[in-house]
Structure formats: structure tokens, C-alpha cells
Amino acid sequence: MSTTDFIVIGGGIAGLSAAARLAAHGRVVVLEAEEGMGYHSSGRSATFAHYGIGNRAVRGLTSYSRAFFQQPPEGFASGPLSKRTPALFVASEEMLPTLNALHAEMKLFTDTTEAAGEAEMLALCPILKIGEGALVAGVIDRGGLRLDSDALLQGYGRAVRSGGGETLTGRRVASVKRSGSDWQVETEKGESWTAPVLVNAAGAWADGLAAMAGVRPLGLQPKRRTIIVVHAPAGHDVRDWPFVKTAADEFYMLPEAGRLMASPVDEIDCEACDATPEEYDIALAAYRLEQYTALPVQRIAHRWAGLRTFASDRVPTAGFAPDAPGFFWLAGQGGYGLQTAPAMADAAEALIMGTAWPAGLSELGVEPEQVRPERLFR
């Protein structure tokens, strides 16, 4: 049995980013069940940071995280973590109230937005269907960020190891129990570790891990999302096209390696699993792509699905379980785990170590009570 200061269960962006912060305070061991870090949600993300999803707390976390993506710590990565890329939010006549409300919310956090008419929308993405019966208005955010998820995961993993910690894959947890004042974790391989602090960053499996440990679950709900990839339209270089999303949660699209990636923004309740796309959702993605653009879907080059796990208020959770000393929740990142990871890691560090709450989060309207698990039990 090995003794350490922090055990982090889950090697996605949430677990690795928090572990990197905790490595400055003691020895950290990250246990990931799969054979690679970020295998599930983190590795299947659309990798775009924008203000078009989530509520005000999520937008605050997103805003706080931007500085890290644009100017990461020295030595964190060999290249840039992000590329500034426009985001274009579009609306049909029926969606105009939603678009206007979204624009008002975004303006609380950025000064890079502007209204877009038909000409501006077509200049950014010439295949959009524009006009009566189609898209009639838009909002451009020229401060969107395309993120490099692999560079983020690799950078955080190096930070853990350079601080004397370990990042271990293929370590599926078999049992979690209290051992005196510590938590004892044993894997299916028979290895075991003890530590006074256990960080539950197990994503869609976080409630199951809590139940294994005898801790009250948060009521997290994994939801499946589907993405398809199609070839770019003939004669178009799509590399500089924006991230495009309908104001209502019906469709988004963005360039990916010279092709186009699209989603029907589906949220299908699902058990924790290695998600795979279903035929109906693939067909819905293709239908929405043809509904909002002039691109006929003749062949789908690739398709996949991932899980996005939410708490009931759709705000990520960070904080010690009220019924289990030393058991720290870091879960419910939903569809914004990548774009809020630096903020959530700083929040987790403050709450675990008992240090001051980050002033930058307070300035953006994000306070500890908004992320602590107690809010979900009231």
C-alpha cells in the first residue's frame, strides 16, 4: 500500500488540471480507468471556448479561464493552447428573442461581440441558408477560442509529474473506503493507495464512485451527445470558418482538419458508459446540417458520441462532501469542462487547501457557494 497526500480519481481535464494545482502542496496520484488520459468527455469535446452555453456562473468560469489559454505558464506547452477564432450565433425568426437574450448575457463578459446581418453572416460562412424561412440574424463574437485539448491534457499531466506526482492509466477502481482519517483506494489490479484527501473527478462515473465510498451522490445525469464529420463543400476552404451555433440548442458546426464537424446539440439521458452514436441521432445531425446550410450530406466521414454530465443546476461542482470528510467532489462539468478547467482547478485548490478564494472569480460573480455540493442538497 502506498501513502500519498492526494488521490485524484479521473484523468480527464477536470482531474488533471486540479492535480496540477495540488502538486504544489503535496504528492498527487491520478488514477485513470482507461488506457489513456482524457479518453471519454475530454477527448471527444468540440474544443471551442465561447459564451454561448451555460448560465452566468459558467460564463464567469469561462471568462476567468481565458487568460490561461492565451498565456499559459512558461513551459506548460511547446506551442499555443488556443487560436482566436470567431463564433457566430445565428437565429431564425422564431429564435430572435433567444438570440437577443444571449447577446445581452455575453456582453456582461466580453466586448468582442457585435450584431450580424445577412451579409456579415455569409461573409463568415457562405453556405448558411439566409433569409425568409431560414436564418435572419446573428451575433459575432470575434473573441472565440479554439482549444488544443491534447496540449492541455499533456501539459497538466507534465505539471503533475514535475511536481513529484504520478499519472497512472489502466487503474480502474475496485473499492473506496475510509481507513482511519484517510481514504483507501484499491484498483482492480490489486494496487492500493491511502491519502487524507480523495478528489472525485470521475466524470459520468462520479456518483457511482461516491456510492462505492458510502458518500451521498449528487444526482448527476450523464447525457449523450452526437457529432458527425463531413467533407467540406467543393471549392471552399473551410479552415478559417467560424464556430457556428443556433441561438436555440439545435445545431452547431465548426471546421475540423479541412472538413466540417456538426452536432444536433442532442442531450440524451444515458448511463455512464463508453458512448457510441445511435442511428437516429446521426440522421438528426445530418438533417440539421442540411436545414441550416446549403451543404447536402451525401457521405458521413466519421461519427462519434460523448457524455456530458450535469448537476441539477447545470453548474460544475467543487467542494468537500458534507457527509464525508476528505472526500472532494469535482464533477458535473457538463459541456464546458475544457473551457472552464483553469477556473475550476483554481477553485478546487482554494477549497481543498483552505486558501483565499480567487479574487478574479469573485470579480466575475462566481462565489464558492455557487459550486459547493451543499447547494444540491437543499
Side-chain angles (χ1 to χ4, degrees), residues 218 317-322 329 368-369 371-378:
L218 296 183
T317 295
F320 284 109
W329 286 100
E369 57 268 20
V371 300
R372 282 178 174 151
E374 289 90 340
R375 75 189 197 280
L376 301 173
F377 298 136
R378 296 185 184 118

Side-chain angles (χ1 to χ4, degrees), residues 89-112:
F89 302 94
V90 295
S92 61
E93 191 74 35
E94 295 76 16
M95 293 181 196
L96 284 177
T98 303
L99 180 69
N100 293 335
L102 175 62
H103 194 189
E105 278 290 312
M106 290 194 294
K107 287 194 290 187
L108 298 176
F109 296 96
T110 182
D111 59 1
T112 58

Side-chain angles (χ1 to χ4, degrees), residues 118-177:
E118 296 180 4
E120 291 86 359
M121 291 191 289
L122 285 174
L124 284 173
C125 187
I127 64 169
L128 291 176
K129 285 183 178 177
I130 300 293
E132 186 177 352
L135 302 170
V136 298
V139 169
I140 303 169
D141 180 2
R142 299 194 183 276
L145 295 176
R146 188 69 190 263
L147 305 179
D148 188 331
S149 59
D150 184 64
L152 281 164
L153 291 166
Q154 294 294 333
Y156 281 127
R158 280 192 298 271
V160 173
R161 293 187 293 273
S162 67
E166 294 181 273
T167 56
L168 305 176
T169 57
R171 264 65 172 197
R172 192 171 302 278
V173 171
S175 69
V176 180
K177 60 184 180 182

Side-chain angles (χ1 to χ4, degrees), residues 55-75:
N55 56 23
R56 193 164 295 181
V58 170
R59 292 190 177 99
L61 293 166
T62 299
S63 181
Y64 179 96
S65 299
R66 286 179 63 87
F68 187 95
F69 299 139
Q70 294 176 300
Q71 292 185 311
E74 186 175 353

Side-chain angles (χ1 to χ4, degrees), residues 110 178 185 227:
T110 182
R178 289 289 284 177
V185 176
I227 292 176

